[in-house]
Amino acid sequence: MTRVWKWNRPVTVREVLEDLQQERSIAYTTVMTVLDNLHQKGWVRREAEGRAYRYEAVSTRAAYSAALMNEAWTQSDNPAAALVAFFGMMSPEQREALRDAVRMVQGPEETPAPQNPATENLAAENPAVENPAVEKPAVEKPAVENPDVENPDVENPVGENPAAAGGETGR
């Protein structure tokens, strides 16, 4: 896939073969089999050109990477913690690229939080330090399953446990 993405246009088996042969010895049939397998899996589409095919990527490398990240993130039992851990693994350059991407998604009407180099350096050295320049993901609190049980995350206008205020406790 790297070779197909590299050209960003439909390629033949021969083109991929010649490119790969600059680095190592490889057979034409091996490249043909790999491209055919990629076609069968839906990674590339192909169009006949004479007796050969031209193969083209179905999606971009960036879209593929995004899909992998999304899949890993959604499979986490704690997505917010997974993101925090992921951000903690990033280099300063990667964090800047992330900020740029967030600015592109948000658009010009939203202004990013001011950057504080001292806080960012602390955050880079210690992932436990909060960085106000990095937007935190929203974490949804679970709904109350049983309204008779006090939940400290749910505001109670009376300030008491509903059961203690004379509410019904049995059902």
Side-chain angles (χ1 to χ4, degrees):
M1 279 308 300
T2 299
R3 304 301 167 142
V4 176
W5 281 322
K6 177 179 148 185
W7 280 305
N8 198 26
R9 63 170 175 79
V11 296
T12 64
V13 172
R14 177 74 52 203
E15 289 173 316
V16 175
L17 173 71
E18 289 171 359
D19 190 43
L20 286 169
Q21 284 180 333
Q22 293 177 12
E23 297 172 13
R24 62 189 167 119
S25 177
I26 190 167
Y28 181 93
T29 54
T30 302
V31 176
M32 185 174 61
T33 300
V34 169
L35 285 170
D36 185 58
N37 288 343
L38 289 170
H39 176 257
Q40 290 178 24
K41 291 180 179 185
W43 287 73
V44 295
R45 61 181 145 258
R46 68 183 180 193
E47 221 173 280
E49 184 176 280
R51 291 181 21 197
Y53 285 110
R54 282 207 172 266
Y55 295 87
E56 183 176 20
V58 170
S59 69
T60 65
R61 181 179 220 144
Y64 171 70
S65 296
L68 284 177
M69 288 187 285
N70 186 56
E71 182 180 339
W73 182 54
T74 57
Q75 302 223 352
S76 171
D77 59 345
N78 188 342
L83 282 174
V84 169
F86 179 64
F87 297 155
M89 294 177 198
M90 291 178 153
S91 68
E93 295 80 18
Q94 290 170 321
R95 284 193 300 275
E96 187 58 36
L98 175 64
R99 282 187 205 95
D100 291 344
V102 168
R103 281 187 216 109
M104 285 191 294
V105 169
Q106 289 178 340
E109 68 278 353
E110 295 183 42
T111 55
Q115 295 188 13
N116 180 343
T119 306
E120 183 156 312
N121 289 338
L122 284 174
E125 295 166 11
N126 181 358
V129 175
E130 289 192 20
N131 183 348
V134 176
E135 191 174 318
K136 295 180 188 92
V139 179
E140 191 174 308
K141 297 196 180 193
V144 177
E145 296 279 331
N146 183 347
D148 294 335
V149 177
E150 183 176 4
N151 185 341
D153 294 331
V154 177
E155 187 176 301
N156 185 343
V158 179
E160 302 177 310
N161 183 334
E168 291 184 16
T169 57
R171 292 191 188 243

